[in-house]
Amino acid sequence: MEFEYRREVQELIKTIEKYMDAYPEEKENTTLKKLYGMLDVMDMEW
């Protein structure tokens, strides 16, 4: 994935958070956890 702007990463993080709130059983989804973690690191390093 390639992002041009930091806000794109932040929007994707917000979307994942909303999804996990709407579907609490998905909080145990390892793929979703990994994606969220990678995006979080990208946002911090930007």
Side-chain angles (χ1 to χ4, degrees):
M1 293 168 102
E2 207 172 297
F3 299 99
E4 291 186 33
Y5 302 102
R6 184 178 186 180
R7 72 173 185 264
E8 293 173 323
V9 175
Q10 292 169 340
E11 284 299 315
L12 194 47
I13 289 172
K14 286 180 193 175
T15 302
I16 292 172
E17 288 172 346
K18 287 179 185 178
Y19 178 80
M20 289 192 302
D21 286 342
Y23 302 97
E25 65 277 2
E26 290 296 321
K27 289 181 181 180
E28 300 305 315
N29 182 325
T30 56
T31 304
L32 194 58
K33 282 181 176 180
K34 287 179 185 177
L35 177 60
Y36 184 85
M38 286 189 285
L39 291 170
D40 193 37
V41 169
M42 288 172 66
D43 187 43
M44 285 188 236
E45 290 181 348
W46 202 285

